[in-house]
Amino acid sequence: MKKYKRAIWFVLFLIAVFLIFKIWWNSQLGSVSNDESTQVFVVQKGEGFSSVAEKLKKQNLVKSNQVFTLYARKSGYVEKIQSGTFKISPS
């Protein structure tokens, strides 16, 4: 019976950790602000994705360049990056 209770607490702990991580992850993927004004963002030809992610973070267009990079890799966007000048809103 004691092992059963310990197992239940362990499972509940894992669920809580997962939910906290999921909430944090979703908050990192949300908009940076409610500001709807656009900023000019330039991606140079041959520029790497990690460099683009760092620039997005420096210009306050993403909350976390690491989460942005992980999301882009998971979604297959890293290979689809294009050079050019873009108007991006932080919202």
Side-chain angles (χ1 to χ4, degrees):
M1 186 69 155
K2 192 174 186 179
K3 287 184 180 182
Y4 180 70
K5 284 184 180 180
R6 186 175 270 167
I8 289 175
W9 280 110
F10 182 71
V11 169
L12 289 174
F13 173 76
L14 289 178
I15 291 171
V17 168
F18 173 77
L19 289 175
I20 290 169
F21 176 78
K22 184 72 172 157
I23 291 168
W24 174 81
W25 179 264
N26 288 340
S27 74
Q28 294 300 303
L29 292 177
S31 61
V32 176
S33 73
N34 293 329
D35 182 8
E36 294 184 11
S37 63
T38 58
Q39 297 180 30
V40 174
F41 186 79
V42 178
V43 177
Q44 301 295 331
K45 186 172 183 169
E47 187 171 11
F49 191 86
S50 60
S51 172
V52 172
E54 288 176 25
K55 285 174 34 180
L56 285 166
K57 174 64 178 152
K58 284 181 183 174
Q59 290 187 18
N60 204 29
L61 293 168
V62 295
K63 291 181 181 178
S64 168
N65 58 328
Q66 291 91 359
V67 172
F68 177 75
T69 300
L70 286 172
Y71 176 77
R73 284 186 181 161
K74 178 182 171 228
S75 303
Y77 294 126
V78 172
E79 305 303 322
K80 297 178 182 178
I81 189 171
Q82 295 180 356
S83 61
T85 302
F86 306 91
K87 290 185 177 181
I88 304 176
S89 169
S91 63

